[in-house]
Amino acid sequence: MFQPVHAPHPPGQTPHSFTPDSRQAWMRLVIAVLIGSIGAVGMWAVVVVIPIVQTEFGATRGAVSLAFTLMMFGFGLGGVIAGKITDRFGIVPAMAISIAFLGIANVLAALSGQLWQFVAAYFLIGLGTSATFAPLMAEVSHWFERYRGLAVTIVASGNYVAGTIWPPLVNWGTQEIGWRYTHIGIAIVCVGLMTALVLVLRAQMGSNTVHDHANAPPPRVDLRLSTNTLTVLLSIASIACCVAMAMPQVHIVAYCGDLGYGVARGAEMLSLMMACGIISRIGSGYLADKIGGIPTLLVGSLAQGFALVFYLFFDSLASLYLISAMFGLFQGGIVPSYAIIVREAMPASEAATRVGIVIFASVFGMSFGGWVSGVIFDATGSYAAAFANGVAWNALNIGIVVLLLIRSRMGAVKTGPGLAT
């Protein structure tokens, strides 16, 4: 049976002692990023195929967008389940289950004869994708101390690496062999490459060392809130920011098609957005190590709202490329900041589960945002009101983050500078 392996043990406790921030930790991180880059394909494949699936099944934009909604719901729910598995048994068993779901679900999507079957298959794809994000971020946080923020955002960038490389590939496959055979190809790639990488990761981690969370660094931020209350506040904030985030990410391809630019241009914009998001995520991790997770989250939230406003006023081809790049640069570090805040303010023994809950809330926001944007489009005939809806939700997120920042500063004054970040 696989044994959970996370952070270091005290020197001398095991012949295979592990040092945080070491070369071995960075090697593990590279493998984790590769796993996330492959396993997150389903999050972006559905965005690319929405227009062609809509045509094939003769459905509305809102009905087809339910595939993204259910995929994100499965992604969030699976993150909580996979987080519990990771906290108890380690990341490797969680990844093994993820691989099985991804292989089976992509084949089922390819074989779907009705829209509801396609939507159900994407719910399973979401479950399979889940272990490659929240649990993986929590796991990586145990491997680093000095560079924890940077490491967490780097592994979270696997999601955006997937968003950079997969949309053009999925679009090409859809044009050349059809969306059904493309999904079968995705299943083969996920099962083959991810299995090999997980075996390498297991070899790096060893199989006989059990992690004791008591050895992990304690929380560094005092918000004077219970763990459950903080989890609720972070969850509401993540829902709000991700409703706003979903509008460009989910509908940019369809939006470009409606404007007459073609879905290929939209796929390129999505790829550009995700590529810039990688820069944003890594940069936010560096920033979080300097100023803390809550201030970093506030910076990202303010910048995201700024970029969304531009979508309301500009829709030329050149401007959409520019705004998409700007949006990626501004919002990429938002979601990983929640994982950093969890590790700064909550016990390590609950990290994967609590991160899973908050990420579940964020993907609920993404799924709701993707769906409601399609519904608003169907009702109004344009995306202008959908972008305005995103701006409003983003304002709610900013309000909650400001509240947490004020409490963190109050806690620092009362308990001393050692707890401030």
Side-chain angles (χ1 to χ4, degrees), residues 335-360:
V335 173
S337 294
Y338 293 110
I340 295 171
I341 294 170
V342 167
R343 281 297 282 120
E344 287 180 340
M346 298 186 190
S349 60
E350 303 177 24
T353 301
R354 295 289 178 173
V355 171
I357 292 172
V358 176
I359 297 302
F360 185 15

Side-chain angles (χ1 to χ4, degrees), residues 398-419:
I398 291 172
I400 295 173
V401 178
V402 168
L403 173 64
L404 293 178
L405 181 62
I406 292 173
R407 293 191 69 88
S408 72
R409 298 309 182 200
M410 291 174 61
V413 171
K414 290 180 177 296
T415 59
L419 289 174

Side-chain angles (χ1 to χ4, degrees), residues 41-354:
V41 55
M43 300 184 69
W44 311 110
V46 65
V47 176
V48 175
V49 302
I50 278 177
I52 192 170
V53 171
Q54 178 184 0
T55 300
E56 180 166 332
F57 289 116
T60 65
R61 184 67 53 79
V64 179
S65 296
L66 281 174
F68 179 86
T69 300
L70 267 293
M71 183 276 295
M72 293 302 290
F73 180 75
F75 179 73
L77 178 62
V80 178
I81 298 171
K84 287 185 175 293
I85 293 173
T86 301
D87 280 336
R88 183 167 182 178
F89 301 107
I91 191 65
V92 174
M95 291 306 311
I97 296 172
S98 172
I99 293 170
F101 268 87
L102 284 172
I104 295 171
N106 274 284
V107 172
L108 291 176
L111 298 176
S112 57
Q114 299 181 46
L115 181 59
W116 72 265
Q117 295 171 343
F118 178 80
V119 171
Y122 260 93
F123 171 72
L124 298 178
I125 289 174
L127 288 174
T129 306
S130 62
T132 68
F133 195 63
L136 206 55
M137 282 195 293
E139 182 67 26
V140 166
S141 74
H142 298 306
W143 304 341
F144 294 85
E145 292 181 11
R146 180 179 180 184
Y147 299 107
R148 180 185 297 156
L150 182 60
V152 168
T153 53
I154 287 176
V155 77
S157 297
N159 178 275
Y160 277 6
V161 172
T164 302
I165 63 176
W166 283 111
L169 291 175
V170 172
N171 182 64
W172 176 84
T174 300
Q175 299 298 323
E176 295 296 322
I177 61 176
W179 65 270
R180 296 180 184 275
Y181 284 111
T182 298
H183 277 79
I184 292 176
I186 290 172
I188 295 171
V189 170
C190 285
V191 172
L193 293 183
M194 289 179 68
T195 298
L197 288 168
V198 169
L199 290 175
V200 173
L201 180 63
R202 180 173 181 264
Q204 280 286 321
M205 296 171 72
S207 59
N208 297 314
T209 306
V210 179
H211 169 66
D212 181 0
H213 287 292
N215 298 325
R220 295 182 295 179
V221 177
D222 180 15
L223 296 173
R224 296 183 296 120
L225 294 170
S226 70
T227 301
N228 289 336
T229 300
L230 179 57
T231 301
V232 170
L233 286 173
L234 290 176
S235 297
I236 296 173
S238 63
I239 289 172
C241 76
C242 289
V243 171
M245 191 183 299
M247 176 55 233
Q249 289 190 6
V250 178
H251 290 275
I252 190 66
V253 176
Y255 184 39
C256 286
D258 294 337
L259 292 173
Y261 302 135
V263 297
R265 296 298 187 195
E268 290 172 358
M269 290 179 196
L270 179 61
S271 180
L272 176 63
M273 191 186 297
M274 296 303 102
C276 292
I278 297 171
I279 299 172
S280 174
R281 286 200 164 172
I282 295 175
S284 68
Y286 177 82
L287 184 63
D289 284 332
K290 298 296 182 181
I291 67 174
I294 296 175
T296 300
L297 177 58
L298 180 59
V299 170
S301 298
L302 288 169
Q304 174 175 270
F306 179 77
L308 279 172
V309 171
F310 277 87
Y311 277 112
L312 288 169
F313 299 102
F314 303 95
D315 62 2
S316 68
L317 183 61
S319 65
L320 286 176
Y321 272 108
L322 180 61
I323 297 170
S324 295
M326 182 172 65
F327 186 81
L329 284 172
F330 288 170
Q331 58 81 39
I334 292 177
V335 173
S337 294
Y338 293 110
I340 295 171
I341 294 170
V342 167
R343 281 297 282 120
E344 287 180 340
M346 298 186 190
S349 60
E350 303 177 24
T353 301
R354 295 289 178 173

Side-chain angles (χ1 to χ4, degrees), residues 24-35:
Q24 185 182 2
W26 288 103
M27 290 178 65
R28 292 183 185 182
L29 179 61
V30 170
I31 298 169
V33 171
L34 291 174
I35 292 172

